[in-house]
Amino acid sequence: VEWFEAERAVLVAAVAHAHARGWWELCWEITDAMSIALEHQWRWDISSQVHELALDAADRLGDGGARAALLRNLGEALRDGGSDVGRAAECFSEAIALFQSSGDAYGESDALGNLGILQRQQGALRVAARTLTAAERLFRALPLERGLAWTLREKAVISRHHAHYSEALAQLDEAEALFAGNEESRGVGWILRTRADTEKESTVGGCPLPRRWYAGPWPGRHVTSRDAQDPRWAAARAHYEHAAQLLHAVRDHRGHTWVTLGLADMALYEGDHAAAELISRGLQETDACGDHRGRSRALTVQALLHAEANRLSEAITLAEQALAGPRDHVGAAQASFRLARLYGAAGWHNDVLHTLQQSRTHHHAAGMPFPDLADSELTRTLTLPAPRARRFRRRQ
């Protein structure tokens, strides 16, 4: 990691120089070789820049295999940077077709897995599950343990969103064993973070709001139990903290950011003063690595904190910004339910109803649990004053 950070500018210049001199093979091979390091450090703009040059070089060579590999890499940069997810999908689809036509099962499985990640990030969970299952079959047949581990992690995220928590944990168990067996600490860090997400969400049944904000029914959430007293809650915290150590050690800034967001969400549910500090740090980190999806998630937490500090108007503005961010059913499902609750605190009944209907639509589109109540009845549970920050406590 240190070597690549020191040499990155030289390598980028080498790609441009090779392209300018017409050294087409060298141009695309350097680009492909450093694509994983650029992805690891979330240098999406640089990755897109060099891959455009490399694609031109591959086309001048007439090398379909090179083009397929570069399209797969460029799709990752466009997807994770959020600059053009439509083109990212096109890159993955063309790469899959090129790999298939050349009989390259390794490349095909990788491109399929990346397309599945994109579909999952957009909240098209059922489609993503089919794509990832196709990738999993190829990874197991090859076999290719690293690709299989990442694919199982993605499938576990989908299982979690569908409230299939036991299935998600089993998928994570297998993925973690594969990463650990290959001494890939970054992968283990991501698994621990995803495990913590699963344990936290299983405790609250995936409900987007703490109890002081929403006391109504939610599938899988027990009315009488207290979240912080559930052993899964303590396990989630421990796994977040371990993940943070591993991801910090390998300088995976984005992975570390999502750990911060998970801890901030836990602090919000607990009524812990640490929530404000954590979410402020999370927003700084999402801005630093250009993570638009993470920023939208952070804004919904900050919005609730502002409302509890008697800043309801600002809170609504933040929640509206979060909902206007990257369009994916999972993120929008949570953001719109939180926004509906904020509208309810302001007494804006028509806005509550409209946004609640949006949330229901997004939950159903993603296959996520949602209360089986009429809109009018659910609206009443959301139309209450905002709780105040005096309820916050410091976690011992």
Side-chain angles (χ1 to χ4, degrees):
V1 173
E2 289 179 1
W3 178 87
F4 186 77
E5 286 185 345
E7 301 293 341
R8 183 177 60 245
V10 178
L11 291 166
V12 171
V15 171
H17 187 68
H19 187 273
R21 290 297 185 94
W23 301 336
W24 309 127
E25 189 169 340
L26 186 61
C27 177
W28 86 259
E29 286 187 343
I30 295 175
T31 301
D32 185 48
M34 67 175 172
S35 65
I36 292 177
L38 288 169
E39 182 264 339
H40 180 106
Q41 296 181 12
W42 314 106
R43 305 286 182 174
W44 299 306
D45 53 343
I46 296 174
S47 186
S48 297
Q49 171 192 340
V50 295
H51 274 88
E52 295 291 2
L53 293 175
L55 273 171
D56 180 66
D59 289 344
R60 289 173 185 268
L61 284 170
D63 189 333
R67 179 173 177 80
L70 294 166
L71 284 169
R72 174 199 58 207
N73 302 343
L74 178 58
E76 287 187 60
L78 296 171
R79 177 196 68 205
D80 292 336
S83 58
D84 191 343
V85 293
R87 189 180 175 208
E90 294 172 359
C91 287
F92 292 138
S93 296
E94 185 181 348
I96 291 166
L98 288 170
F99 283 130
Q100 285 177 335
S101 65
S102 64
D104 185 346
Y106 288 90
E108 181 188 353
S109 62
D110 199 10
L112 271 170
N114 274 291
L115 177 60
I117 293 172
L118 173 62
Q119 292 166 339
R120 194 269 300 166
Q121 288 181 350
Q122 292 178 313
L125 300 187
R126 295 182 182 89
V127 175
R130 290 194 292 270
T131 303
L132 290 167
T133 297
E136 180 187 356
R137 284 196 293 266
L138 285 174
F139 283 128
R140 290 189 186 279
L142 289 169
L144 197 59
E145 291 187 345
R146 182 180 183 276
L148 175 59
W150 283 111
T151 299
L152 288 169
R153 191 207 85 90
E154 290 296 320
K155 295 189 73 172
V157 174
I158 294 173
S159 297
R160 184 186 88 227
H161 289 320
H162 287 161
H164 301 154
Y165 302 118
S166 297
E167 181 180 346
L169 291 172
Q171 290 162 332
L172 292 172
D173 286 342
E174 184 179 359
E176 185 174 358
L178 290 168
F179 280 133
N182 287 277
E183 298 182 342
E184 188 169 344
S185 59
R186 177 180 179 241
V188 173
W190 275 75
I191 294 302
L192 289 172
R193 195 267 291 178
T194 310
R195 186 182 297 280
D197 288 341
T198 305
E199 290 160 341
K200 171 174 66 71
E201 291 187 23
S202 67
T203 306
V204 301
C207 182
L209 288 169
R211 293 182 189 278
R212 64 185 180 279
W213 274 96
Y214 175 70
W218 193 272
R221 185 170 194 173
H222 302 294
V223 177
T224 57
S225 63
R226 296 183 63 183
D227 304 332
Q229 295 177 346
D230 192 303
R232 293 172 295 180
W233 196 258
R237 184 178 304 283
H239 288 135
Y240 276 136
E241 291 171 352
H242 189 188
Q245 294 171 1
L246 292 175
L247 295 171
H248 177 74
V250 297
R251 304 187 190 184
D252 186 338
H253 304 303
R254 194 187 194 200
H256 191 275
T257 295
W258 280 84
V259 172
T260 301
L261 296 178
L263 286 168
D265 212 42
M266 289 189 76
L268 171 72
Y269 277 73
E270 292 172 335
D272 189 338
H273 285 284
E277 179 185 348
L278 286 165
I279 209 60
S280 177
R281 190 194 315 163
L283 283 166
Q284 291 175 358
E285 292 176 3
T286 56
D287 288 345
C289 61
D291 187 347
H292 305 294
R293 291 174 59 249
R295 178 173 176 77
S296 291
R297 175 171 168 175
L299 286 174
T300 66
V301 177
Q302 190 179 55
L304 295 176
L305 294 174
H306 276 30
E308 295 192 352
N310 202 27
R311 298 158 63 184
L312 185 56
S313 178
E314 294 176 46
I316 289 173
T317 298
L318 289 172
E320 289 173 341
Q321 290 175 5
L323 190 55
R327 303 302 297 172
D328 77 273
H329 289 302
V330 174
Q334 181 184 68
S336 53
F337 196 82
R338 289 180 172 180
L339 178 57
R341 179 63 182 89
L342 290 169
Y343 284 148
W348 300 352
H349 301 287
N350 290 336
D351 292 293
V352 175
L353 181 59
H354 173 72
T355 312
L356 182 59
Q357 290 170 342
Q358 279 186 286
S359 184
R360 186 191 299 275
T361 297
H362 287 301
H363 275 87
H364 288 171
M368 298 165 63
F370 194 80
D372 187 21
L373 290 177
D375 286 343
S376 58
E377 187 176 351
L378 195 50
T379 297
R380 281 195 295 273
T381 68
L382 298 176
T383 309
L384 295 168
R388 293 293 174 238
R390 62 183 174 80
R391 298 190 180 186
F392 270 69
R393 61 175 178 79
R394 288 199 177 277
R395 178 171 55 87
Q396 300 299 316

